[in-house]
Amino acid sequence: MKEKNVQFIDLQIQQERIRGAIEKSISRVLDNGKYIMGPEVQQLEEKLAQFIGNTQAISCASGTDALLLSLMGYGVGPGDAVITTPFTFIATAEVISLLGATPVFVDIDPQTFNIDPEKIDTVISAIKKPDFDLHPIPQKYEKAPLKLKGIIAVDLFGLPADYDAINNIAKREGLFVIEDAAQSFGGEYKGKKACNLANIGCTSFFPAKPLGGYGDGGMCFTQNEALAEIIRSLRVHGKGGHKYDNVRIGVNGRLDTLQASILLSKYEIFPEEIELRQQVAMRYNELLVDCDSIKLPEIPDGYKSVWAQYSVLAKNKNHRQTLQDKLKGSGIPSAIYYPNPLHLQTAFASLGYAEGSFPVSEDYSSRIFSLPMHPYLSENDQELIADNLK
Ligand SMILES: *Cc1c(COP(=O)(O)O)cnc(C)c1O
């Protein structure tokens, strides 16, 4: 048999472990025929709420829908502004604009890749004055003040943002905080689980995420029961007392029963996979410790990353290309998250940001790349990867 190439994220090994269980759970759904909001959906919500601890769980159709439903739950719309990071997947900021509100970008902390709380303070001061020299703010503020409503922080690569600092600012300013935990389900911050670090946490079950299904899916977690009720309604066309009683404008944002049943099977081995991910990450740290030309990820005390990605920084763009080519030559895939910060994306051109607006995000976009990362990455493969990088 041909030797298997190194996979960036290997879902095949995982499937071999649990294929039987997954086929059984799919068969159960086929037998029951409850394809929409079948019992597995509620079972998954209960299991994951228990895992996160002391929270309500509302499943939905994707991580993007989880973010959208959260913003809708807070009534965000035209004339509103929401602070977020430009160094993330498009979905984080897209949902703000989709509702007619305006994303206000704030640069990242150079160590964690996550939104920098000090710069959140600075942008709030800049907005209050308003003073475009203090911190870049969207051009719309030149015409009329927008109403600042909240903050979406992202737990990039599986590492939670600094929620003590972020929540303090939000409390002082009367803002909500949404945790984009699409990559961090299974991570921790100061003894608390990711998804439970802000007013509401949103995760994704996209196949490549730490807890991934075989399709799209997502979930919101909140301790706010009133907000949870609104989101449950929004996810089914703003329903009231029954299906054909509509009390608000919502979306079709349910999680499929089949997806829930697959996730229930995958969840059985998830705690073990979190530990395997730690081992793989620690092994990278050890193997690459002497590799002076690349900067390894650093996890601050009190944080636990779930290592959705193991991302390193090359010296510059050319150096990154050289390293990626070297890996590719040995059949090793790598990826760039993210090659363009959001403030420089065409879709956000109307915000009026420019090159230089967010120097850390721009610098990192030009030299970051991610190595293969999954719970089943072998020591041999990791040694091969390290040898290529040295
Ligand atoms: C994947 C991801 C999303 C969107 O999740 P989907 O399930 O693909 O809609 C949102 N934010 C971040 C940071 C992500 O990585």
Side-chain angles (χ1 to χ4, degrees), residues 37 42 45 55-59 69-70 72-74 199-200 220-242 245 247-250:
M37 296 304 259
Q42 200 186 338
E45 288 176 344
T55 182
Q56 308 263 320
I58 311 109
S59 60
L69 289 165
S70 300
M72 290 172 80
Y74 276 108
N199 296 115
I200 186 160
C220 299
F221 298 90
T222 181
Q223 296 181 20
N224 181 335
E225 286 187 25
L227 180 64
E229 265 324 293
I230 293 172
I231 291 175
R232 279 195 192 97
S233 158
L234 286 167
R235 124 181 115 173
V236 191
H237 306 288
K239 85 177 174 76
H242 61 87
D245 171 32
V247 297
R248 53 175 67 82
I249 299 299

Side-chain angles (χ1 to χ4, degrees), residues 61-67 87-93 154-157 180-183 202-207 209 215-218 338:
S62 67
T64 306
D65 269 5
L67 292 166
F87 197 61
T88 178
F89 182 56
I90 181 80
T92 312
V154 179
D155 304 341
L156 204 69
F157 306 139
D180 181 343
Q183 303 181 9
C202 302
T203 200
S204 162
F205 305 126
F206 183 83
K209 309 283 167 148
D216 282 307
Y338 295 90

Side-chain angles (χ1 to χ4, degrees), residues 47 105 113 211 247 257 262:
K47 278 241 160 94
F105 292 123
F113 306 123
L211 179 61
V247 297
T257 309
I262 290 161

Side-chain angles (χ1 to χ4, degrees), residues 4 25 99 117 122 143 151 190 198 232 264 301 331 368 378:
K4 205 168 160 246
S25 40
L99 291 172
T122 312
K143 296 197 194 96
I151 302 169
K190 303 189 178 176
R232 279 195 192 97
L264 279 167
D301 284 345
I368 201 163
S378 72

